[in-house]
Amino acid sequence: MAVLLWLAGVYLRIPVLVAPPLAPFIGDELALTQALTGALTTLPILMLAIGSMPGSLAIARIGPRNTLALAMVIMVIGSAGRGLMPDTLTLMIASAVMGIGVSMMQPSLPALLPRWLEPHHLALGSAIYMNGMLMGEFIGAGITLPVLMPLLDNSWRATLLAWSLPGLLIAAALFLPKRDRAKPLRKVAWLPDWHNPLTLKIGLLLGLSGSLFFGLNAYMGNLLQHQGQFDKLPDALFWYNLAQVFASLIMLKMARYWVGRRGVIATLASISLLGAIGAVMLTRFLAMAGLSTGLVELVTSMDMTVAWALLALVLVYLVLGMFLDPLGVMLLTLPVFLPVFHALNMDLIWIGVLVVKLIEVGLLTPPVGMNVYVVKSVVGDQVALGTVFKGLLWFLLCEALLLLLLSSFPQLALWLPNLVS
């Protein structure tokens, strides 16, 4: 069972992390832009947020073992399919399918542990499959170019197939162990407990670590290319992902001592957050990574209209505004969006007014809704938090109407600035 847990953990990461070393070769053959080349890694990561809920539902209905096997089959179909797709559109669809499979695997493994292991072995079981995940990161990104690809005549398509197909054997082997402990006696809830503050905390921690790790893997090729050191990509990916191996060995040793300890997580999360803020504020990093340039190229190639750009802006700010403070949202988004707005000749004063209104909406929307908690602190226990949120619906409706008017009639925002100028 330990071997199966480890192998399943490996295949949580190998399908995703083989993309960064192969991305330059895929991009050359299919003439992908920098943005689309990075999407080979980032699109499956985006699917983690979309496919996790169906994964939880499947666990509640058919059990964690069956869900894990089904998810691995979906992952193999998408991952192997990437090596067979003839054009960009089908390649991205296959990447999304693979990401959904990986996202369903993610909640299946921790749900499977109580079915296979004694309670006092759960921490060790978690460390085993997490060690597999970290080893999968190193194996996929670190040895693909120097070891596997030369053995397959430098074919990126054959390399994808070679990494993907063994997953079917692991999916079949999951049914070998007969142990099935701690089966639930009643219907299992599959929706997240949004009232539990741990839900938000764990989500933010996972989002932070994932965005840092996968983001750098996805755009490392572009970063080195802008520095004129593209030939160092195999070494850079190897050593960057090898660090995960040392971290996993430490986890295996310290798993029993770190479970439930907040200090370690808080310290490492703080260091990671400082690094993330530094990377975002140093716009030269974004330029070297080619993200802004890639988005402009993508917008130009798609003949994107102003309406679609506004829709993207609204959706991004509505989602981020639910979880981040206004300064954090602007630091994360403006270095990316501004080149796109310039390319579409959009008035930046108009955009600034829209951004302010969107941030105001973010201050009112759950689960964070900073202004809501300010009101709650004033009224105390006299009014329930849910009642405060319900009372905001009319204000949100007015904000939505105002945003619609400002988007449809830019002169409402530009009349006074134009008069002054």
Side-chain angles (χ1 to χ4, degrees):
M1 287 186 290
V3 174
L4 286 175
L5 288 173
W6 189 83
L7 289 174
V10 168
Y11 267 83
L12 267 174
R13 291 296 177 261
I14 276 186
V16 179
L17 269 302
V18 297
L22 298 178
F25 304 95
I26 301 174
D28 288 343
E29 181 173 326
L30 299 181
L32 302 181
T33 64
Q34 290 180 338
L36 291 176
T37 302
L40 293 172
T41 300
T42 56
L43 181 59
I45 300 306
L46 177 63
M47 293 298 108
L48 294 183
I50 297 174
S52 58
M53 299 294 284
S56 299
L57 177 60
I59 293 169
R61 297 294 183 267
I62 64 176
R65 188 202 310 246
N66 293 333
T67 301
L68 181 58
L70 173 63
M72 292 198 73
V73 172
I74 295 173
M75 176 272 295
V76 170
I77 292 173
S79 182
R82 294 204 291 181
L84 303 174
M85 297 306 171
D87 54 45
T88 303
L89 178 61
T90 53
L91 177 67
M92 293 301 163
I93 292 174
S95 299
V97 171
M98 184 202 74
I100 290 175
V102 173
S103 69
M104 293 177 65
M105 292 173 62
Q106 195 97 9
S108 301
L109 277 168
L112 185 60
L113 292 180
R115 301 286 189 94
W116 278 6
L117 303 176
E118 301 286 345
H120 59 279
H121 287 150
L122 292 180
L124 181 61
S126 299
I128 288 173
Y129 86 75
M130 292 187 68
N131 174 268
M133 286 173 55
L134 296 173
M135 287 298 296
E137 293 167 355
F138 164 66
I139 294 170
I143 73 173
T144 295
L145 286 184
V147 178
L148 185 59
M149 197 170 177
L151 295 176
L152 298 172
D153 199 25
N154 289 320
S155 169
W156 64 267
R157 296 182 182 275
T159 303
L160 284 175
L161 291 171
W163 276 130
S164 305
L165 296 179
L168 294 176
L169 298 177
I170 300 172
L174 290 173
F175 295 96
L176 293 178
K178 301 302 181 183
R179 180 179 294 184
D180 196 5
R181 301 169 41 83
K183 295 183 69 173
L185 301 178
R186 59 171 189 244
K187 188 176 180 180
V188 180
W190 61 276
L191 284 172
D193 183 5
W194 298 113
H195 298 289
N196 189 339
L198 283 178
T199 301
L200 177 61
K201 293 177 182 178
I202 294 173
L204 290 175
L205 283 172
L206 291 175
L208 171 64
S209 61
S211 59
L212 288 173
F213 177 74
F214 291 109
L216 188 52
N217 263 296
Y219 291 100
M220 188 175 290
N222 292 335
L223 179 65
L224 293 174
Q225 190 171 28
H226 280 273
Q227 293 178 338
Q229 302 181 43
F230 183 75
D231 59 313
K232 296 182 179 179
L233 177 61
D235 292 337
L237 289 173
F238 178 88
W239 290 108
Y240 177 63
N241 289 278
L242 181 63
Q244 310 299 309
V245 178
F246 297 118
S248 69
L249 295 176
I250 295 174
M251 285 175 54
L252 283 172
K253 179 67 175 178
M254 303 299 295
R256 296 176 182 175
Y257 306 101
W258 284 357
V259 170
R261 300 294 180 90
R262 299 180 181 180
V264 176
I265 297 176
T267 301
L268 296 178
S270 299
I271 295 172
S272 301
L273 185 59
L274 289 174
I277 293 174
V280 171
M281 294 182 67
L282 296 174
T283 54
R284 184 167 176 247
F285 173 84
L286 293 175
M288 287 190 298
L291 180 59
S292 300
T293 304
L295 281 176
V296 172
E297 292 175 358
L298 181 62
V299 167
T300 305
S301 64
M302 293 175 59
D303 294 327
M304 181 180 286
T305 62
V306 170
W308 282 108
L310 285 179
L311 179 61
L313 177 71
V314 170
L315 291 177
V316 169
Y317 268 76
L318 286 180
V319 173
L320 293 181
M322 293 180 181
F323 304 101
L324 301 178
D325 64 283
L327 180 60
V329 174
M330 288 189 291
L331 286 174
L332 284 171
T333 57
L334 291 181
V336 177
F337 272 115
L338 283 179
V340 176
F341 297 148
H342 274 297
L344 294 174
N345 295 318
M346 299 169 67
D347 192 295
L348 295 185
I349 296 179
W350 175 43
I351 295 299
V353 174
L354 291 174
V355 166
V356 170
K357 298 306 297 179
L358 289 168
I359 286 175
E360 290 178 0
V361 173
L363 290 172
L364 300 176
T365 49
V368 177
M370 193 179 302
N371 285 353
V372 177
Y373 290 95
V374 172
V375 173
K376 174 62 177 173
S377 66
V378 173
V379 299
D381 295 332
Q382 298 177 7
V383 181
L385 183 62
T387 304
V388 179
F389 273 114
K390 290 178 182 178
L392 290 172
L393 293 178
W394 291 106
F395 292 93
L396 290 174
L397 183 61
C398 293
E399 292 282 11
L401 179 60
L402 184 56
L403 279 169
L404 181 61
L405 289 173
L406 289 171
S407 302
S408 304
F409 305 101
Q411 287 305 316
L412 291 176
L414 298 177
W415 176 77
L416 183 59
N418 289 338
L419 181 65
V420 173
S421 61

